[in-house]
Amino acid sequence: MNALSHAQTALITGASSGIGATYARRLAARGYNLLLVARNQARLQVLADELMTNHGVEVNLLTADLEQHADIEKVASQLRSDERISLLVNCAGVALNGSLAEADIDSTHSLLQINLLALTMLSSAAAVRFSLAGRGAIINIGSVVSLLPERFNAIYSASKAYVLSLSQSMHVELSGSGVQIQVVLPGVTRTEIFERSGGSLAQIPPSMVMEVDDLVDAALRGFDQGELVTIPSLPDSNEWQALTQARLQLAPNLSHNQPAARYH
């Protein structure tokens, strides 16, 4: 386990609101200095002032639009060069409403850039430097829809399945390097993402909607416990372990030199 500690710097994407802003508050309370990344500099500045006043930590801002290749590279370059950064929290993300057939190309491109490309390139940059340093951690925010693709928008669900798969693969690749990987799978959470995508929480039963403070607190407790996959809503973690074991039991039969008998 690689528990969070003081006097380090965390880079948080999507930090101007919602899950990202809450991570900023919780990590500042733990003594972390922060590098906050988002498009909305005004909102970032308000949050930075709050955190510096309340916790006395150093807070720097990096305004970046992760839909843009140049801005992804700007953040990745910071991760590669700034040796103070020991934690990357990939919170930036967007959702879509409607079916794949209804999706317009611009919205789809935006989602893929932020949810997949930016997260991948930033994780890669952090993984290289953290592994060379022999310490550090990457937290990726996924979603439970990665486990229930039948229940939600196809593009968003697929993007979050990618985040889960990438995180699991990175965990294996970085084993023994001193770098901790965690992927958090929230259920429905009270953030702005629904309104931004044209949806509404009003149609969802209140019993299914978690407050963002509760989500992040649970996620950080999962991190402190060394979890690779944290599902804050799941009452019995043995259910996740059982699913993982069932999947791994397929491994010996997933690649043979002949088709299965039922296809003869």
Side-chain angles (χ1 to χ4, degrees):
M1 180 173 69
N2 186 9
L4 299 174
S5 59
H6 296 280
Q8 301 179 53
T9 297
L11 187 153
I12 306 172
T13 68
S16 62
S17 64
I19 294 174
T22 304
Y23 263 102
R25 293 186 175 97
R26 295 301 190 264
L27 293 175
R30 291 184 176 213
Y32 259 79
N33 296 320
L34 300 171
L35 178 55
L36 305 180
V37 179
R39 287 179 287 194
N40 192 323
Q41 184 172 10
R43 292 180 76 168
L44 284 180
Q45 189 62 60
V46 169
L47 178 60
D49 292 342
E50 171 198 325
L51 298 177
M52 289 187 288
T53 298
N54 291 346
H55 302 289
V57 297
E58 178 183 341
V59 182
N60 292 298
L61 309 181
L62 183 56
T63 306
D65 180 355
L66 296 181
E67 290 185 41
Q68 306 300 321
H69 287 278
D71 281 11
I72 294 173
E73 176 52 32
K74 179 169 69 173
V75 181
S77 177
Q78 189 77 27
L79 283 163
R80 287 191 290 265
S81 63
D82 191 340
E83 296 183 357
R84 298 169 299 175
I85 300 171
S86 60
L87 174 62
L88 167 64
V89 187
N90 278 310
C91 288
V94 296
L96 289 178
N97 251 344
S99 69
L100 176 62
E102 296 168 332
D104 67 86
I105 191 168
D106 290 335
S107 297
T108 300
H109 182 268
S110 174
L111 183 147
L112 297 177
Q113 283 280 111
I114 296 173
N115 291 13
L116 274 65
L117 183 63
L119 181 140
T120 301
M121 300 314 296
L122 300 187
S123 295
S124 175
V128 170
R129 197 178 59 72
F130 292 174
S131 60
L132 289 173
R135 67 183 184 96
I138 300 170
I139 299 173
N140 291 327
I141 304 302
S143 171
V144 294
V145 300
S146 60
L147 306 175
L148 293 168
E150 302 88 351
R151 302 285 184 87
F152 204 68
N153 171 276
I155 303 172
Y156 181 76
S157 296
S159 76
K160 293 303 182 179
Y162 176 91
V163 173
L164 173 59
S165 178
L166 180 75
S167 301
Q168 291 170 309
S169 296
M170 288 177 61
H171 172 69
V172 175
E173 290 180 357
L174 295 170
S175 177
S177 70
V179 181
Q180 181 176 354
I181 304 296
Q182 182 197 27
V183 57
V184 181
L185 306 184
V188 182
T189 309
R190 196 180 305 281
T191 68
E192 298 175 3
I193 194 169
F194 286 92
E195 285 71 22
R196 288 175 179 171
S197 66
S200 172
L201 288 173
Q203 300 174 350
I204 299 174
S207 62
M208 293 178 61
V209 182
M210 187 175 290
E211 299 300 328
V212 68
D213 288 351
D214 293 333
L215 168 72
V216 174
D217 287 341
L220 286 172
R221 283 192 286 271
F223 184 95
D224 291 339
Q225 294 168 21
E227 290 185 342
L228 167 59
V229 179
T230 296
I231 308 175
S233 292
L234 188 66
D236 185 355
S237 62
N238 289 326
E239 294 180 347
W240 168 253
Q241 297 302 327
L243 178 61
T244 301
Q245 289 304 312
R247 178 173 59 81
L248 293 176
Q249 285 176 5
L250 295 173
N253 288 312
L254 292 179
S255 183
H256 291 306
N257 64 356
Q258 293 292 323
R262 68 182 177 279
Y263 299 123
H264 290 172

